[in-house]
Amino acid sequence: YGPLDSDEQNIAKHTEVKPTDLATNLQSVGILKAAPVSIYIKLHGAFMIIAWLGCVSISILMARHYKNSWPDSTLCGVKLWFAYHRAIMVTGVVAIIIATVLIFVEKKGWSGPSPHAIIGLTAIILSLLQPIGALFRPGPDSPKRWLFNWLHWSGGYIGHVLSCNRGDMFNIKSFLWVVIAFVVCYVSLHILHHLKTLLTDNDHKEINQSYLVLDLGDE
């Protein structure tokens, strides 16, 4: 769909693109009808993007890289990074629940075992298990704390990877490439983080050694 040129004879660049509801043979000639996109589907996608790309991503970064930040500050009796992590993650889970309700209302229930539905539902279940599991988190000195940490970590990252499942991603090969790219990026960030930590520690050691020599010299 689009306008004509100024002479109203030639077709200009189209201004609107709408997909058809069924696959179309481009060698055939005929009238094609565009499938209207429901407001529920649009809101479903919007809430999922806000949840996974926004809230979950920020919350993971807070837990991974900000544990040593604001050491003397607390909020509601917990460290500041944990308060942010918890609040942002709960917001994300609420957005995921809203998005799930919207798509079930649109499809009038379970739409069928499509790859998008199965992968998406798995990610949703993992996201709901995260806050439930956090309620049973053992204390820092508990011998079972390592088990909780691994379950919480793996459940969060697996759900985050599965959330890359788009509505039109029915090619498992494409999805695997997305997973591989995510893993490569994650490993690369870990390597850079450890290199930065190593360099920072070496700088601190050099400063401490210099200060020690200077202090002894003055004495």
Side-chain angles (χ1 to χ4, degrees), residues 3 5 35 40 51 58 62 70 72 74 85 93 108 113 124 136 147 150 164 168 187 196-197 218-219:
D5 280 337
Y40 292 105
I58 295 173
M62 294 297 299
W70 315 292
D72 301 325
T74 59
H85 169 77
V93 171
K108 296 180 175 60
I124 292 169
F136 302 95
L147 180 60
W150 273 105
C164 299
D168 58 344
V187 172
K196 180 182 177 182
T197 303
D218 289 342
E219 290 180 356

Side-chain angles (χ1 to χ4, degrees), residues 94-142:
V94 171
I96 290 172
I97 294 174
I98 294 174
T100 305
V101 171
L102 288 171
I103 200 63
F104 270 89
V105 171
E106 168 64 23
K107 298 296 182 179
K108 296 180 175 60
W110 178 249
S111 61
S114 65
H116 175 70
I118 294 174
I119 296 174
L121 185 61
T122 304
I124 292 169
I125 293 174
L126 288 173
S127 70
L128 296 177
L129 290 177
Q130 289 296 92
I132 296 175
L135 295 175
F136 302 95
R137 180 183 60 171
D141 300 328
S142 173

Side-chain angles (χ1 to χ4, degrees), residues 9 41 65 86 92 96 135 152 154 184 208:
Q9 297 295 324
I41 294 179
H65 298 290
R86 182 172 57 186
I96 290 172
L135 295 175
H152 193 67
S154 59
V184 170
N208 291 335

